[in-house]
């Protein structure tokens, strides 16, 4: 365990450069005192590692030093063949590079490990797009990705949903995210960071370099954006009663956030299962609940109950006339 940690510490310094003892302790999930002891052990083993005191200090390897302790365990080698999405790499113009890298990695592995890695690749497959939706075509993705990589501002012609539909924006692209088969650009505009659907970009002109914010974390920003979007999306609540059958199939008709809310609020009242769920709007909720037919009854709000009732009456007039 300690030997593995020492190797991890060494590789962290090799890949990230100077790091404080507290940062190393956080990465390796140990105490700062443990880091001090590990650094002393590496010193004793002849590793050219030095530390500087002060607020800008930290531990660092001597310039030019590279460790050869990069051997993969069997589990690590297997996991590498699950880490990538060939389709996403091809979208970014990196399909050939990924294939070549995998071939080189495979050739470098010892024979037993190569067999295990090959077995992993033939037994598991990652498919990013969600059901019922094709992956979006984004003809300008490679240009946008290149601007992200080279930290170049771009002027884009963008087609949005509200009026005016076609707008021009000058953006500083910070990152790309692939979600459910759709590519999204996270970019800094004139005043704030926003998200743009790459398929809606109609034109791109690459401009001058820009300075990327040093503290920007793409993964953390994306997670916070999703949470904020969800909070904005669901502006109200509804109380409904589900039959036994309706309760059984409810989670297959709604998004996970709605299913979780139902699970957390469910009360069995003798006539069925009473739950409180978040809704985007009365019209959207009516359409969602009507798909379940007679397995659901709207109790609150009155406006939603009236809208569902009116829809049922229209159906009855249409089919029972």
């Amino acid at each position: 365990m300690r030997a593995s940690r020492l190797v991890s510490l060494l590789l962290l310094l090799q890949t990230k450069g100077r790091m404080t003892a507290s940062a190393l302790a956080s990465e390796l999930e140990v105490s700062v005192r443990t880091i001090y002891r590990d650094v002393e052990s590496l010193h004793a083993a002849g590793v050219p590692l030095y530390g500087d005191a002060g607020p800008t200090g930290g531990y660092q390897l001597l310039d030019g030093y590279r460790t050869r302790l990069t051997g993969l365990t069997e589990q690590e080698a297997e996991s590498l063949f699950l880490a990538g999405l060939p389709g996403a790499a091809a979208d970014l113009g990196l399909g050939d590079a990924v294939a070549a890298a995998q071939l080189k990695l495979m050739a470098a592995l010892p024979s037993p490990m190569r067999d295990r890695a090959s077995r992993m690749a033939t037994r598991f497959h990652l498919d990013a797009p969600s059901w019922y939706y094709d992956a979006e075509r984004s003809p300008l993705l490679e240009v946008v990705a290149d601007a992200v990589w080279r930290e170049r501002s771009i002027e884009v012609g963008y087609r949005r949903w509200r009026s005016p539909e076609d707008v021009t924006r000058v953006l500083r692209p910070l990152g790309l995210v692939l979600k459910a088969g759709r590519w999204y650009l996270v970019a800094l505009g004139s005043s704030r960071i926003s998200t743009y659907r790459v398929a809606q970009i109609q034109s791109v002109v690459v401009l001058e370099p820009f300075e990327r914010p040093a503290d920007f974390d793409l993964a953390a920003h994306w997670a916070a954006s999703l949470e904020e979007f969800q909070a904005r999306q669901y502006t109200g609540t509804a109380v409904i009663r589900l039959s036994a059958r309706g309760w059984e199939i409810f989670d297959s008709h709604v998004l996970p956030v709605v299913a979780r809310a139902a699970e957390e609020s469910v009360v069995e009242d003798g006539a069925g299962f009473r739950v409180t769920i978040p809704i985007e709007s009365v019209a959207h909720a009516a359409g969602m609940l009507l798909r379940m037919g007679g397995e659901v009854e709207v109790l609150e709000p009155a406006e939603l109950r009236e809208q569902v009732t009116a829809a049922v009456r229209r159906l009855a007039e249409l089919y029972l006339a």
Side-chain angles (χ1 to χ4, degrees), residues 3-301:
S4 174
R5 189 177 68 244
L6 290 174
V7 171
S8 296
L9 190 155
L10 199 52
L11 292 175
L12 277 171
L13 293 175
Q14 182 173 302
T15 55
K16 294 193 175 184
R18 180 176 298 185
M19 294 182 70
T20 63
S22 59
L24 287 165
S26 176
E27 285 275 0
L28 299 174
E29 298 181 347
V30 295
S31 68
V32 172
R33 289 177 62 85
T34 298
I35 295 298
Y36 292 152
R37 288 196 297 268
D38 287 349
V39 168
E40 288 177 7
S41 298
L42 290 171
H43 269 305
V47 175
L49 174 66
Y50 66 93
D52 293 324
T56 60
Y59 292 111
Q60 188 171 349
L61 292 168
L62 191 68
D63 285 348
Y65 177 81
R66 303 288 294 177
T67 176
R68 295 184 181 277
L69 296 175
T70 54
L72 297 171
T73 66
E74 288 184 351
Q75 191 173 22
E76 288 166 346
E78 292 169 2
S79 68
L80 282 174
F81 289 87
L82 289 179
L85 293 169
D91 288 345
L92 294 170
L94 298 172
D96 291 343
V98 168
Q102 286 187 334
L103 279 174
K104 290 176 181 177
L105 174 61
M106 190 70 85
L109 292 174
S111 182
M113 202 177 290
R114 191 184 309 140
D115 294 340
R116 291 177 66 91
S118 294
R119 222 166 33 244
M120 179 68 74
T122 59
R123 283 162 173 74
F124 298 96
H125 175 68
L126 303 178
D127 184 14
S130 59
W131 287 107
Y132 313 117
Y133 294 95
D134 292 331
E136 277 189 331
R137 287 189 68 258
S138 303
L140 296 172
L141 177 61
E142 284 191 46
V143 179
V144 174
D146 184 65
V148 170
W149 182 250
R150 295 194 296 130
E151 297 180 359
R152 300 290 295 267
S153 298
I154 53 176
E155 182 182 271
V156 302
Y158 190 73
R159 178 160 295 164
R160 58 185 188 174
W161 303 115
R162 62 180 183 273
S163 181
E165 290 185 353
D166 294 321
V167 296
T168 300
R169 295 283 186 268
V170 174
L171 305 173
R172 284 160 282 179
L174 302 176
L176 285 163
V177 177
L178 176 63
K179 183 173 178 62
R182 295 174 177 174
W183 285 98
Y184 295 89
L185 171 67
V186 178
L188 180 60
S190 57
S191 59
R192 64 190 180 93
I193 297 175
S194 302
T195 301
Y196 300 85
R197 198 156 151 184
V198 178
Q200 300 300 116
I201 295 177
Q202 308 297 302
S203 63
V204 179
V205 176
V206 180
L207 305 174
E208 69 281 352
F210 71 94
E211 187 173 346
R212 181 184 175 86
D215 59 349
F216 179 73
D217 184 321
L218 179 60
H221 173 81
W222 183 256
S225 296
L226 290 181
E227 191 173 329
E228 183 186 346
F229 172 75
Q230 201 167 84
R232 291 198 314 267
Q233 185 180 20
Y234 295 102
T235 57
T237 59
V239 181
I240 60 175
R241 181 183 289 119
L242 296 159
S243 66
R245 171 63 178 159
W247 176 245
E248 183 182 332
I249 64 172
F250 187 65
D251 62 354
S252 65
H253 285 74
V254 298
L255 292 173
V257 63
V258 178
R260 282 196 300 271
E263 287 275 1
E264 292 166 2
S265 64
V266 62
V267 175
E268 203 168 349
D269 64 3
F273 297 84
R274 183 186 176 106
V275 300
T276 301
I277 58 171
I279 60 172
E280 293 183 37
S281 65
V282 168
H284 181 272
M288 175 184 72
L289 297 173
L290 281 166
R291 291 200 300 267
M292 295 188 64
E295 307 299 342
V296 59
E297 177 190 0
V298 176
L299 304 178
E300 300 174 22

